[in-house]
Amino acid sequence: MYFLRMDKFRVTRTLNTLVSKLNSSADEILRKEFRITYSQFRYLVVVNENPGISVGLLAKALSISQPAVSKKISEFLEQGLIASAGDPEHKTKVVLRTTSKGKRLSERASSVLEARFVNMLDFFQPGELEKFEGALQVMLKKLSEKG
């Protein structure tokens, strides 16, 4: 029977390194093409994909404290990228949505990043990238189920 030697199997380190490199690349592309940071991009994408999201849920989705999210949201409001409104069901809550300007930016930046990343992965043989993406989706699903 074959056993993996855990001292040589460094999946956590490999994944962290990969994510770090991808995030750095994304930040560089977004700064150059759209004059936004990867952090700002993440806010826009989550709000754009979840119209009416509360500040609390946005904080949870981004794994950032609610006060930090509230502070950052004010910048997006000033830039006209995100709009806020009172939650009709909960008078003390604020809900967010992207403005048309924020929606365009989020969608354009997402398309550019996806195309650039696919180009960065051109070393995959036909069909391999789809299998890799499928394996990542399975991993995300299984980890989400565990909590």
Side-chain angles (χ1 to χ4, degrees):
M1 184 182 267
Y2 180 76
F3 292 98
L4 288 175
R5 288 191 53 190
M6 294 309 287
D7 62 323
K8 297 211 180 220
F9 190 64
R10 309 272 189 202
V11 69
T12 303
R13 184 172 60 192
T14 302
L15 286 172
N16 281 323
T17 302
L18 175 62
V19 168
S20 178
K21 288 186 181 295
L22 290 172
N23 289 347
S24 293
S25 294
D27 192 66
E28 186 178 317
I29 291 165
L30 292 166
R31 284 175 187 271
K32 183 178 179 183
E33 300 282 330
F34 300 99
R35 295 187 177 141
I36 61 171
T37 65
Y38 181 63
S39 174
Q40 292 168 320
F41 169 76
R42 290 179 62 223
Y43 278 80
L44 282 174
V45 168
V46 173
V47 173
N48 192 50
E49 291 178 355
N50 300 279
I53 191 170
S54 69
V55 173
L57 284 177
L58 178 59
K60 186 174 181 179
L62 296 172
S63 299
I64 300 171
S65 73
Q66 194 165 333
V69 168
S70 294
K71 183 177 178 182
K72 192 62 141 177
I73 288 301
S74 63
E75 295 174 24
F76 288 108
L77 293 169
E78 288 173 18
Q79 295 169 350
L81 298 171
I82 289 179
S84 67
D87 185 340
E89 296 177 22
H90 303 95
K91 296 187 185 222
T92 59
K93 280 190 178 179
V94 172
V95 293
L96 307 167
R97 66 172 177 75
T98 51
T99 61
S100 57
K101 179 180 172 182
K103 181 177 179 60
R104 279 191 313 273
L105 177 57
S106 173
E107 292 173 357
R108 283 182 36 235
S110 293
S111 293
V112 167
L113 277 184
E114 183 69 18
R116 296 280 180 86
F117 282 174
V118 167
N119 283 338
M120 281 188 233
L121 302 173
D122 65 352
F123 54 84
F124 278 104
Q125 297 299 314
E128 287 180 341
L129 183 57
E130 291 79 7
K131 287 179 185 175
F132 178 66
E133 201 271 338
L136 291 174
Q137 291 295 335
V138 168
M139 190 175 183
L140 283 171
K141 181 181 178 195
K142 295 292 183 183
L143 291 172
S144 294
E145 288 170 359
K146 287 185 177 185

